[in-house]
């Protein structure tokens, strides 16, 4: 299925998986609405994309953990793009620490961003997709959404919740021809992983952001009659 001239919103597009996905979709001729908090990163990305590809790229800064900001950002991007076919819920944050040691504010921030932010952005995007009776939503969860580990209580809770929300929404909107998919990558070599002190190891064997973007593209290119419910991808580098 061609993605040419479709429109996509990518949250957390400034770096890591979101940025790689922006390039992968741009190459397919998808017009992009990019969202993150860091304006300079978005502006540089917009410049790079529009100088390489003949697509429209809109950017807006927003903190998706705040409902009003998430709603405003999605409304702005849809208005500028004129439509919305694809939503990539990628923005996320990770801090690790034992449940007893983590400050409640840190714990709340992870849930507020990874779960509530994903919910706010999705809820703001859905009316457009429901009206046109088509669309694809891809939520970037994690292996941390499938199994808990010590120091991961907040991150795991947020990603388990995203998987639950994904499956419930999938059942709600499949009859409207809207596909909802969750991806559960293991460690990916991105600023998030590096900053969180996750083992990156041998770069040649460690999964890269571009690899996740390839899977996102594959999911989006499936014929509209079929969709990928979840997909787990693992790095070959043993940790
Ligand atoms: N890297 C991994 O090992 C790994 C594995 C499995 C799943 N994931 C998931 O993959 C997704 C992308 O992660 P990544 O590794 O690419 O991370 P990253 O390199 O840190 O990029 C995260 C992006 O999200 C944005 N963001 C964070 N908080 C935000 C907020 N409150 N509002 C708006 N934007 C926000 C960041 O930009 P600003 O700071 O400018 O807002 C950045 O553009 C996350 O959901 C993560 O949980 C990552």
């Amino acid at each position: 299925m061609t993605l040419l001239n479709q429109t996509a919103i990518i949250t957390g597009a400034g770096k890591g998986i979101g940025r790689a996905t922006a390039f992968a979709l741009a190459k397919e001729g998808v017009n992009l609405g990019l969202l993150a908090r860091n304006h300079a990163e978005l502006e540089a990305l917009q410049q790079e994309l529009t100088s390489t590809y003949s697509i429209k790229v809109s950017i807006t800064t927003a903190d998706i953990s705040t409902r009003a900001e998430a709603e405003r950002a999605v409304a702005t991007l849809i208005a500028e793009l004129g439509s919305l076919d694809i939503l990539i819920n990628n923005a996320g944050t990770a801090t690790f620490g034992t449940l007893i040691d983590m400050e409640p504010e840190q714990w709340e921030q992870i849930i507020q961003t990874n779960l509530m932010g994903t919910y706010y952005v999705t809820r703001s995007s859905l009316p457009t997709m429901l009206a046109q009776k088509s669309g694809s939503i891809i939520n970037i969860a994690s292996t941390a959404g499938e199994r808990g580990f010590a120091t991961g209580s907040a991150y795991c809770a947020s990603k388990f919740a995203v998987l639950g929300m994904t499956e419930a929404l999938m059942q709600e909107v499949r009859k409207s021809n809207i596909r909802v998919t969750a991806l559960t990558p293991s460690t990916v070599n991105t600023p998030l992983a590096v900053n969180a002190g996750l083992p990156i190891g041998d770069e040649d064997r460690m999964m890269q952001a571009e690899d996740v973007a390839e899977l996102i593209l594959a999911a989006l290119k499936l014929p509209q009659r079929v969709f990928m419910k979840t997909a787990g991808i693992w790095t070959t580098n043993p940790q």
Side-chain angles (χ1 to χ4, degrees):
M1 196 176 92
T2 179
L3 301 180
L4 185 67
N5 293 330
Q6 291 204 4
T7 53
I9 288 180
I10 305 173
T11 68
K15 49 176 96 72
I17 295 167
R19 181 181 158 86
T21 304
F23 278 99
L25 294 185
K27 209 171 158 189
E28 299 290 320
V30 177
N31 298 308
L32 297 172
L34 308 178
L35 182 164
R37 291 167 302 183
N38 184 316
H39 183 71
E41 282 182 353
L42 289 181
E43 211 173 34
L45 179 58
Q46 181 187 41
Q47 174 65 34
E48 210 176 326
L49 287 167
T50 51
S51 63
T52 314
Y53 303 102
S54 299
I55 56 166
K56 180 168 184 179
V57 180
S58 297
I59 59 172
T60 188
T61 48
D63 180 344
I64 62 160
S65 69
T66 302
R67 179 153 68 100
E69 282 195 39
E71 289 173 350
R72 178 203 44 77
V74 172
T76 301
L77 291 175
I78 293 177
E80 287 184 11
L81 294 169
S83 61
L84 180 63
D85 302 298
I86 297 164
L87 169 62
I88 312 293
N89 276 314
N90 165 76
T93 189
T95 308
F96 300 107
T98 60
L99 187 146
I100 192 76
D101 285 341
M102 274 181 78
E103 292 299 329
E105 291 75 14
Q106 285 179 304
W107 223 93
E108 286 162 3
Q109 188 52 34
I110 290 172
I111 300 294
Q112 198 59 33
T113 303
N114 296 359
L115 173 60
M116 298 309 292
T118 299
Y119 157 70
Y120 298 145
V121 170
T122 302
R123 186 168 185 274
S124 306
S125 303
L126 265 179
T128 302
M129 291 184 175
L130 285 168
Q132 71 199 17
K133 288 203 181 318
S134 69
S136 293
I137 299 173
I138 297 189
N139 296 331
I140 311 301
S142 168
T143 47
E146 298 174 316
R147 58 186 166 88
F149 54 89
T151 74
S153 62
Y155 189 68
C156 292
S158 73
K159 295 298 186 179
F160 268 76
V162 164
L163 286 177
M165 183 177 73
T166 302
E167 183 147 352
L169 179 64
M170 179 271 280
Q171 297 288 14
E172 287 176 18
V173 299
R174 57 197 289 220
K175 58 183 174 295
S176 300
N177 203 28
I178 298 170
R179 313 187 292 185
V180 188
T181 298
L183 303 187
T184 58
S186 66
T187 306
V188 188
N189 185 5
T190 68
L192 177 146
V194 171
N195 294 337
L198 297 177
I200 294 302
D202 180 353
E203 290 219 3
D204 288 346
R205 300 186 67 214
M206 171 56 65
M207 185 155 55
Q208 304 294 314
E210 290 73 19
D211 305 332
V212 183
E214 281 297 317
L215 184 64
I216 290 172
L217 207 52
L220 293 171
K221 283 185 153 190
L222 287 170
Q224 191 68 31
R225 61 179 176 261
V226 63
F227 67 95
M228 193 184 277
K229 195 186 92 173
T230 50
I233 43 173
W234 286 67
T235 190
T236 51
N237 194 25
Q239 292 168 44

